[in-house]
Structures are given as structure tokens and as C-alpha cells.
Amino acid sequence: MEQTKFKWSLRERSQEKTAVLEYFTEQQARRVQRFHSSFPEYQPTPLRALNELARQLGIKNLFVKDEAYRFGLNAFKVLGGSFAIGSYIADELHEDIDKLPYSRLISDEIRKCFGTKTFITTTDGNHGRGVAWTANRLGQRAVVYMPQGSATERLANIRAEGAVAELTEMNYDETVRYTSELAQKNGWIIVQDTAWEDYTQIPLWIMQGYMTMALEAYEQMPVKPTHIFLQAGVGSMAGAVQGFFANVYDSACPLTFVVEPDKADCLYQTAAANDGQLHNVTGSLDTIMAGLACGEPNSIAWEILGRCSDGFISCPDYTAAQGMRILGNPLAGDRQIVAGESGAATVGLVTEVLRDQRLNELKQALQLDENSVVLCFNTEGDTDKANYRRIVWDGVWGRE
């Protein structure tokens, strides 16, 4: 179904649980959180209640988990990269990650046993910065490649963490393949949240790392949400958060919807086709939501999302821009949230659906009404400050 430039595909949840959900239980999430809390920089990020905005929109509550405060890196991605690298080191040393907190990982004992290795990744910015930050903290090396069009500020932030970082002339998925080839050629460890044949363990660790964010939100929420909206690129964050909430709430899991840019909507395309195959999106993937500009789904994430999510929504870029402006200019009584393009995607979607009468059909499909309690995740702050100002100050990417 299509209205304006929005497309959506609703699904019925599968009654048959997939085995991969066992990696996303509350017990596993608490294990991951213990690892993250061993870092000196760890603090739970805030959950913001936007009561005035909810009232303006005609819903009961709107909560936003604000990951712009995560580890001082302005984005949630470090949760995945740090847990994956820590788990890799533990696995190589035949240790339990529970016995390798940050203090042991940086000890002379562990450094002597593990040595110094190179971790390589592809990123639009946030994931690579998290990998570089972790490698730097643990005395390891990081090599990072970024797809064509990536922001120079994000490149500089990665280099500031001591990583070797370069821009390519390829799109995200092509750059991932290039990175994989370099890893194989040089014996480096690739840290990517995109799973493929014979490469699933590190993507799974990355996804598990994201559960710290979900667990914190679960504990911070004063009421149970009726709706959860999750933005997606390859789907790793969405799959991890969906998996966590599917476990803790079981059959009473809130309605959960996945939001993607229409130029890189591989999960929506997969859901709409409904033929048991993953469907890639090719081309330049030219969207302002750089963190979501991925054309090939994570197969592990899809195993969860395809069974547990209630729908997939493909939206135009102005949706994220509207979300950035609304969060950055709050109503009296609400807290300001500085959200980047990918971070604001879900709030942008919710506010557009509730404000634009052309989207009434989508509003009804999402079952949004005066009783709705909505949870969204701001996954990044203004990681590209120049573009943030262009959108919020200058009004580029206005509503169509």
C-alpha cells in the first residue's frame, strides 16, 4: 500500500519461535550490560518523556531513549563494537567474557596473551568510531573504511581515536565486501554487523551488544509501551531490540514496526515480497539517513524481525528531517533532544503519521490512537554537525 511516498507492509507474528531468540533473553542482556558497565565511561543513557509532544499528537505518551550520551561518542554503536571485540578476545583466550571486564582486558596479563591485532570494519561513521574507540582503549589496532559520501566530520572523529580510516568511492555494501577481502588477505579481524555465509559469530556478538540499550529502556520505562518503532539499516539494532522485547514480553510484546529510508529499504522489500528470500537494494543508496544506508539485510536480524515484527515502513528523507526539527525545538515542558538523521527517523515517522492527514490510512494500520504509549530510540546525536544545521537551521529537506 502507498500514500504519498510512504510504503508499508504489515505482517502477522509467527507463533513459532526462532532458535536465535535464545541469544536475546533478559539474562543475556544483563550479561552484556555487566560487560559495558565495567568501562569507566559507562552511564545509562536518559529516557526522555515528551509529554507535551504526545499531547499535541493525540497519543498518551511518547518516550525517546537518547543514545547521544553513550560513552561520550554521540551514538549507540559502540555498544556492539565493544562487546564484539571483547567477546572475540575472550574466545581466542578460551575465557568467559564474564571474567574479562575492562580492567582485565587492559591488563598486562591479557595483552601479553592476546598480543596486538588489527580489527577492520566498514562504517558510515558511528560504528567505525565505536570500533576505533574500543581498539584504542584495549591497545589494539583499527582500520576503517567509509562509503562514498560519508561525512568528513565522522571520518575525522574516527581518526581521532587512532584508527587508519579512509573514504572509498563505493556504496556501503560494496565497501563491506572490499573490507572483507582486505581482512582475508591480511589476516585481520572484520567487525561487521552484516552476517553472511561463514560469518555469523561477530555479527551476533554485535547485535547482543545493543541489548544494553534495550535493557536500560525496559528498566526506565514507567509504563509498558503499546508501540515500539525501530530504525534499520541492515537490521542489526532493530533485530536485537526486537528480540529482547519479544523475550521479556513474550506473547504480550508491544506492536513493533521497523522504519527505513525509501532509498535503502531492504527489509521492507523483503517483507513485501514475502517469498522466503532476502531482497537487496542496489545503487547509490542516496539517503540523508547515512547510518541506515544499507542495501543488504543481516540474515540473523531478519530471522527475528520477519517472525516477531508487526510491520515495515519505507519513508522519504524528509521524515527524518522533520523528526530532527521537532526534537531539536521542543514544546514548553519537554526536553530538547539533539538527534541526527538516522536517530530522528522513528520520531519523524510517528509525528508525520499523526500530523499529516494524507497518512490516515497508515495511522490506522499502525493502530495509533489516544491510548498509545510509544517508545523510540534516538540512536545518534549531531554526528555531522554541518548537515544538522542545514536541516534544523536552514530547513532543507522540508515536508513534500
Side-chain angles (χ1 to χ4, degrees):
M1 304 176 72
E2 187 170 356
Q3 183 84 3
T4 63
K5 289 189 176 181
F6 292 79
K7 297 173 287 185
W8 59 93
S9 176
L10 304 187
R11 300 169 69 85
E12 288 189 12
R13 297 176 187 171
S14 172
Q15 299 301 311
E16 181 183 350
K17 285 194 172 182
T18 173
V20 76
L21 279 176
E22 70 185 33
Y23 296 104
F24 298 95
T25 63
E26 182 178 348
Q27 180 181 10
Q28 290 282 5
R30 295 194 182 282
R31 179 172 177 254
V32 173
Q33 187 189 43
R34 283 195 297 272
F35 172 78
H36 286 137
S37 65
S38 73
F39 283 75
E41 294 85 356
Y42 175 78
Q43 289 288 337
T45 55
L47 180 77
R48 306 297 190 197
L50 302 182
N51 296 325
E52 294 305 316
L53 179 57
R55 187 175 294 111
Q56 181 79 19
L57 296 173
I59 58 177
K60 189 172 184 179
N61 298 108
L62 174 59
F63 295 93
V64 179
K65 177 71 166 161
D66 191 358
E67 289 295 301
Y69 294 86
R70 184 65 68 185
F71 281 16
L73 297 177
N74 213 5
F76 83 105
K77 281 285 193 176
V78 65
L79 293 173
S82 61
F83 187 70
I85 291 175
S87 297
Y88 180 87
I89 294 173
D91 190 61
E92 287 290 294
L93 299 179
H94 306 289
E95 288 256 19
D96 190 323
I97 187 64
D98 291 335
K99 297 178 181 178
L100 274 182
Y102 174 76
S103 58
R104 273 203 74 202
L105 282 169
I106 63 171
S107 67
D108 292 340
E109 168 207 1
I110 296 301
R111 289 188 176 187
K112 182 178 179 180
C113 292
F114 184 74
T116 302
K117 294 183 172 57
T118 298
F119 294 86
I120 185 171
T121 191
T122 291
T123 183
D124 73 279
N126 297 333
H127 171 66
R129 189 180 185 186
V131 168
W133 181 90
T134 304
N136 190 21
R137 290 297 185 282
L138 304 184
Q140 303 299 317
R141 291 188 294 261
V143 175
V144 180
Y145 284 92
M146 304 179 71
Q148 186 177 40
S150 296
T152 56
E153 179 183 349
R154 293 173 180 148
L155 175 65
N157 285 336
I158 293 168
R159 287 174 173 169
E161 296 294 344
V164 174
E166 302 293 340
L167 293 171
T168 72
E169 295 183 356
M170 299 173 279
N171 71 18
Y172 177 83
D173 299 299
E174 292 165 345
T175 306
V176 169
R177 282 188 278 277
Y178 176 67
T179 300
S180 177
E181 292 168 3
L182 286 178
Q184 292 178 355
K185 177 181 177 181
N186 295 298
W188 296 341
I189 303 109
I190 185 167
V191 184
Q192 209 66 50
D193 64 358
T194 304
W196 56 81
E197 187 176 358
D198 299 324
Y199 184 73
T200 57
Q201 184 60 74
I202 288 177
L204 179 59
W205 282 330
I206 291 173
M207 290 179 65
Q208 286 184 306
Y210 298 152
M211 283 197 294
T212 288
M213 176 179 71
L215 176 61
E216 289 177 3
Y218 173 65
E219 294 179 330
Q220 292 167 327
M221 285 287 290
V223 294
K224 178 185 172 183
T226 62
H227 294 69
I228 301 174
F229 289 86
L230 301 168
Q231 56 270 70
V234 298
S236 295
M237 183 280 286
V241 176
Q242 173 72 90
F244 172 81
F245 283 112
N247 272 309
V248 296
Y249 288 122
D250 198 22
S251 59
C253 186
L255 293 170
T256 308
F257 299 99
V258 178
V259 178
E260 296 175 281
D262 58 5
K263 301 291 180 58
D265 55 0
C266 54
L267 295 168
Y268 162 77
Q269 297 292 345
T270 298
N274 196 27
D275 59 4
Q277 303 295 317
L278 295 177
H279 288 261
N280 299 339
V281 175
T282 58
S284 64
L285 310 177
D286 184 21
T287 170
I288 64 169
M289 294 172 261
L292 311 181
C294 310
E296 299 179 12
N298 178 341
S299 57
I300 302 172
W302 176 253
E303 192 172 342
I304 297 171
L305 296 171
R307 292 171 180 267
C308 301
S309 297
D310 297 282
F312 298 79
I313 307 159
S314 170
C315 59
D317 276 355
Y318 78 80
T319 310
Q322 290 290 85
M324 293 168 69
R325 286 187 278 267
I326 288 170
L327 290 171
N329 298 274
L331 296 169
D334 287 347
R335 288 287 298 267
Q336 181 192 43
I337 296 175
V338 176
E341 301 86 343
S342 300
T346 53
V347 170
L349 182 278
V350 171
T351 54
E352 282 302 287
V353 167
L354 293 171
R355 294 169 64 238
D356 188 342
Q357 292 186 355
R358 296 175 299 171
L359 295 172
N360 279 342
E361 187 179 354
L362 179 53
K363 175 184 174 181
Q364 292 173 8
L366 299 179
Q367 301 178 50
L368 286 168
D369 58 30
E370 67 277 5
N371 298 310
S372 298
V373 177
V374 174
L375 172 62
C376 295
F377 293 81
N378 173 31
T379 51
E380 65 171 0
D382 54 345
T383 55
D384 182 356
K385 291 179 175 58
N387 203 48
Y388 181 87
R389 288 191 294 269
R390 289 180 64 236
I391 292 170
V392 176
W393 290 11
D394 302 332
V396 298
W397 297 102
R399 181 193 280 183
E400 298 175 3

